[in-house]
Each structure stands twice: as structure tokens, then as C-alpha cells.
């Protein structure tokens, strides 16, 4: 099991917020996923630029091991699951899963051609499940509340929520969690409070919004 907490996009701090605020949700999700697929080891790949997140991850792992929720004989079930932390060196390319796997193995973080996909031959040649922080953090809530609860959020083809690091020339910046299916207009103008004002007090003109970091598209206003 591998958790991709590299988060190299400029202005993004979604993973950082979860790891600093509730690292146990990620560890629990990874342990459940490990049990489901029969994995015995998990790795959290976290940027070294997130020292507080790494400290809290280490503390959370130690607490879980002390409570018998990680390590040997978890809750007397015979299930073994050990979690490790790999600190990334800040290479943006290591957000790509094959480059991330190479970095964990101690090699240069470079993408490789696929197939084989990591699910077939990943970390040290073994089948590897690679997901992001939010996916693992959702697992305990879905187990506790049921799939119907999760499917009831958002839209039918894309249930659940999305987390945005809202930055730029908007009135309200910060981290927002919204149901899938929401429009960019609602995020920018309703939650973000709209465009900032210039020195004379007049609203600046809305030109475009970019989602998903430097690799994604820039969306201009309609019309």
C-alpha cells in the first residue's frame, strides 16, 4: 500500500491539512485497504517540506502501534501491517506514481513506461496499490456510515466531495471542501466571495480560473 502525499502543485495544501489535522484517518484507511488486499506493509510518501505533517504522522503511527492498531497481530486477528514514512526530496515529478515508487526504492525519481502497471509490478516488483491522502481518509467514514451515505453526496456519477485550496485574487482564500458537481462559479463567487477590488475600490475583472495545478486547463468566463 502506498499513499501519495507528495502534493507538489503550487498553492496546494489539501494533503498537508489532512495529515496535520487528522493523520489517524489516513492510517486507518491504509490499514483497512491493506487488510482487504492482503498487504503487510504501507508507505506514506510525504514531502520533506511538510515537517509538521511528518512529525504528526510519526506520532500517529506510534500511537496506533501502542494501541495494537498497527504492527503485529492487529486486534488479535493475525493480520500484520507495518507503516513506513518516506520523505520526498521535493522533486515535482515524484507525484507521478512510477517516479514515486522509484524514489521509495532509493532510485532516481523518474517515470517509467507502463505496462506493467504498479498494480501488477510496483514497489520492489510486488503488486502495489497507490492512492492519495483523501482517498484513504475517506475509507473509515464510508465503512462507518455506509456506501449509501457516501453515494448521497455529490452527483450520481461522481459521489463524494472535492477539496480545493482556494488561492489567488479572491476575497476569501483557504481550504474548502465541497460536494462534487458544484460549479466553479459557486466556488469563486459564493464561497470565495468574488474577485478582489483594486486600489480605487472597484471590483477587478474576472479573467480566468485554473484548477488542478500547472498541468490543468485555464477556464475563461463563459460568453
Amino acid at each position: 500500500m502506498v499513499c501519495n502525499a507528495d502534493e507538489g502543485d503550487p498553492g496546494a495544501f489539501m494533503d498537508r491539512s489532512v495529515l496535520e489535522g487528522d493523520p489517524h484517518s489516513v492510517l486507518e484507511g491504509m490499514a483497512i485497504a491493506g487488510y482487504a488486499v492482503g498487504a503487510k506493509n504501507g508507505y506514506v510518501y510525504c514531502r520533506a517540506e511538510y515537517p509538521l505533517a511528518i512529525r504528526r504522522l510519526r506520532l500517529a503511527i506510534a500511537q496506533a502501534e501502542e494501541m495494537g492498531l498497527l504492527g503485529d497481530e492487529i486486534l488479535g486477528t493475525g493480520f500484520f501491517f507495518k507503516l513506513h514514512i518516506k520523505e520526498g526530496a521535493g522533486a515535482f515529478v515524484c507525484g507521478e506514481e512510477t517516479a514515486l515508487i522509484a524514489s521509495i526504492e532509493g532510485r532516481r525519481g523518474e517515470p517509467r513506461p507502463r505496462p506493467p502497471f504498479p498494480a501488477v509490478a510496483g514497489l520492489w516488483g510486488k503488486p502495489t496499490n497507490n492512492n492519495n491522502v483523501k482517498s484513504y481518509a475517506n475509507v473509515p467514514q464510508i465503512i462507518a456510515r455506509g456506501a449509501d451515505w457516501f453515494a448521497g453526496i455529490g452527483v450520481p456519477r461522481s459521489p463524494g466531495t472535492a477539496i480545493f485550496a482556494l488561492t489567488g485574487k479572491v476575497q476569501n482564500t483557504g481550504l474548502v471542501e465541497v460536494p462534487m458537481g458544484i460549479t466553479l462559479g459557486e466556488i469563486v463567487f459564493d464561497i470565495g466571495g468574488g474577485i478582489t477590488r483594486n486600489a480605487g475600490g472597484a471590483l477587478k475583472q474576472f479573467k480566468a480560473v485554473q484548477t488542478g495545478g500547472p498541468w490543468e486547463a485555464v477556464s475563461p468566463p463563459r460568453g
Side-chain angles (χ1 to χ4, degrees), residues 24-26 35 43 50 52-53 81 88 116 136 156-157 208:
H24 282 289
S25 65
V26 180
Y35 181 79
Y43 292 81
Y50 289 176
L52 180 58
F81 191 72
Y136 286 122
R157 294 188 62 181

Side-chain angles (χ1 to χ4, degrees), residues 1 11 18 31 52-53 55 60 66 74 94 101 108 140 154 164 174 176:
M1 303 303 300
V18 174
L52 180 58
R55 288 201 302 271
E66 184 179 355
I74 296 177
C94 285
I101 288 171
R108 183 188 296 272
F164 289 92
V176 298

Side-chain angles (χ1 to χ4, degrees), residues 4 12 15 28 66 73 76 97 116 141 146 150 156 169 171 178:
N4 184 347
D15 293 349
E28 184 177 358
E66 184 179 355
E73 287 289 336
E97 62 178 355
Q141 292 297 321
F150 187 78
K169 303 299 183 180
Q171 302 282 356
V178 294

Side-chain angles (χ1 to χ4, degrees), residues 18 23 51 146 158-159 186 190 200:
V18 174
S158 296
E186 290 175 295
D190 295 343

Side-chain angles (χ1 to χ4, degrees), residues 67-90:
M67 295 293 294
L69 302 176
L70 286 177
D72 299 323
E73 287 289 336
I74 296 177
L75 299 177
T77 61
F79 174 53
F80 172 100
F81 191 72
K82 181 73 173 178
L83 269 176
H84 315 270
I85 298 173
K86 170 65 177 180
E87 296 185 34

Side-chain angles (χ1 to χ4, degrees), residues 128-220:
T128 301
N129 185 301
N130 183 24
N131 279 292
N132 60 30
V133 169
K134 178 175 176 286
S135 295
Y136 286 122
N138 278 335
V139 170
Q141 292 297 321
I142 295 173
I143 294 293
R145 303 189 184 199
D148 290 340
W149 163 79
F150 187 78
I153 304 172
V155 292
R157 294 188 62 181
S158 296
T161 63
I163 303 175
F164 289 92
L166 190 57
T167 61
K169 303 299 183 180
V170 291
Q171 302 282 356
N172 308 317
T173 59
L175 200 66
V176 298
E177 184 175 9
V178 294
M180 293 291 290
I182 194 172
T183 66
L184 287 176
E186 290 175 295
I187 295 174
V188 173
F189 292 98
D190 295 343
I191 299 174
I195 311 304
T196 55
R197 298 179 181 272
N198 59 29
L203 287 175
K204 294 181 179 179
Q205 180 184 1
F206 174 73
K207 297 180 180 179
V209 61
Q210 183 182 29
T211 60
W215 299 109
E216 299 300 327
V218 175
S219 302

